[in-house]
Amino acid sequence: MTDDLLSRIAALEQQVGEFLPAALVRKSGALQPAEWLMGEVRAKAEIDRDSANMSVVDVAEIHIVGDIDDVMALSVHDQLEAARLSPAIRVHIDSQGGDYDAAVRIHRSIRWHPGMTHAKLGRRCMSAGVLVAMGCDRRVASSTTEFMLHLTADLPDPRDRWTMYRHIEAARRLRQTDSLYLNVIADRSGADLAALAIEAAKDERQSLQWCLANKLIHAIEMPL
């Protein structure tokens, strides 16, 4: 490219820059509880477990099956509260996604459980379901699990009037959501944010081998 053409491109980028969503930036710890605080939560749970006047299940089973919504978030909260003293929980996930905010609440609920958390992925772990799974310390897929992380989407009400500025604001809001979603996955897996963004933009299922290589899952369970 000539210097003149590069200058024109730079000038154009400057003119439209204010209308574009912000670039993805690596930001750690968005949904992660502080380690010192988790230490206190674990210590209290151990004291309560030792003094409990009832038997405590060693591994509690938590089920997240179907659409992720407010009802599901409340159900998971209640299941985790009932298993508060269990030293480990196994989270069964079979979901093609759902509401992002509900998934954030479930992710946080799992992260704040004092025990070791294990995700067992069923037929589907997709979209918001991936955010839920990333809340667990260890994630194991079955050989038939369909796994998909992708960018968030919006469905404008066709009865509303969407001006250019409203579309721009929606794009910025979606980019903020994508940034949090992908940064949390990067936090929990150690995967490169740019690689996650490229894969998510494809809007298609990831192979389990790709997930394994990027540590989104830790193992693939083969049928007996």
Side-chain angles (χ1 to χ4, degrees):
M1 290 186 182
T2 66
D3 291 341
D4 180 59
L5 181 56
L6 289 173
S7 296
R8 290 183 182 184
I9 292 173
L12 180 61
E13 288 178 342
Q14 187 173 9
Q15 290 173 16
V16 303
E18 64 177 299
F19 300 110
L20 299 176
L24 287 173
V25 177
R26 185 72 176 94
K27 296 179 181 178
S28 299
L31 298 181
Q32 311 312 311
E35 190 56 39
W36 68 268
L37 199 52
M38 279 307 302
E40 292 186 2
V41 171
R42 295 187 188 102
K44 186 178 186 307
E46 188 171 350
I47 293 171
D48 292 345
R49 188 160 50 242
D50 291 340
S51 60
N53 295 320
M54 60 180 182
S55 60
V56 175
V57 177
D58 288 336
V59 181
E61 307 287 338
I62 308 296
H63 295 272
I64 302 174
V65 179
D67 291 340
I68 295 171
D69 54 17
D70 291 339
V71 174
M72 176 71 75
L74 182 59
S75 171
V76 174
H77 174 273
D78 290 344
Q79 291 179 69
L80 289 169
E81 181 61 26
R84 185 179 67 84
L85 300 183
S86 294
I89 60 171
R90 184 180 295 114
V91 185
H92 299 267
I93 301 173
D94 188 346
S95 174
Q96 62 183 6
D99 182 70
Y100 174 80
D101 291 334
V104 168
R105 293 198 295 276
I106 295 173
H107 177 98
R108 281 179 164 151
S109 296
I110 294 172
R111 292 289 289 127
W112 278 98
H113 191 279
M116 286 295 297
T117 55
H118 304 262
K120 185 175 177 59
L121 309 184
R123 188 163 59 90
R124 297 163 302 176
C125 181
M126 308 169 102
S127 191
V130 174
L131 187 61
V132 170
M134 299 310 291
C136 296
D137 300 317
R138 181 171 172 78
R139 301 169 292 276
V140 177
S142 75
S143 60
T144 57
T145 297
E146 295 180 4
F147 194 103
M148 184 169 72
L149 65 94
H150 60 184
L151 301 180
T152 51
D154 199 3
L155 294 174
D157 190 330
R159 296 170 297 181
D160 291 343
R161 186 169 179 271
W162 278 72
T163 64
M164 176 187 72
Y165 294 103
R166 195 167 181 183
H167 281 286
I168 291 170
E169 181 58 34
R172 288 173 173 164
R173 187 170 60 251
L174 289 172
R175 175 51 62 91
Q176 290 175 348
T177 302
D178 290 336
S179 179
L180 179 59
Y181 177 74
L182 295 173
N183 269 290
V184 169
I185 295 173
D187 278 341
R188 299 293 288 159
S189 65
D192 178 69
L193 180 66
L196 292 173
I198 291 170
E199 194 65 30
K202 295 177 182 177
D203 208 27
E204 60 187 28
R205 290 189 290 271
Q206 288 78 43
S207 72
L208 293 181
Q209 292 302 325
W210 182 90
C211 296
L212 192 63
N214 288 276
K215 297 184 172 58
L216 274 69
I217 60 175
H218 298 96
I220 301 172
E221 193 174 67
M222 303 304 293
L224 298 176

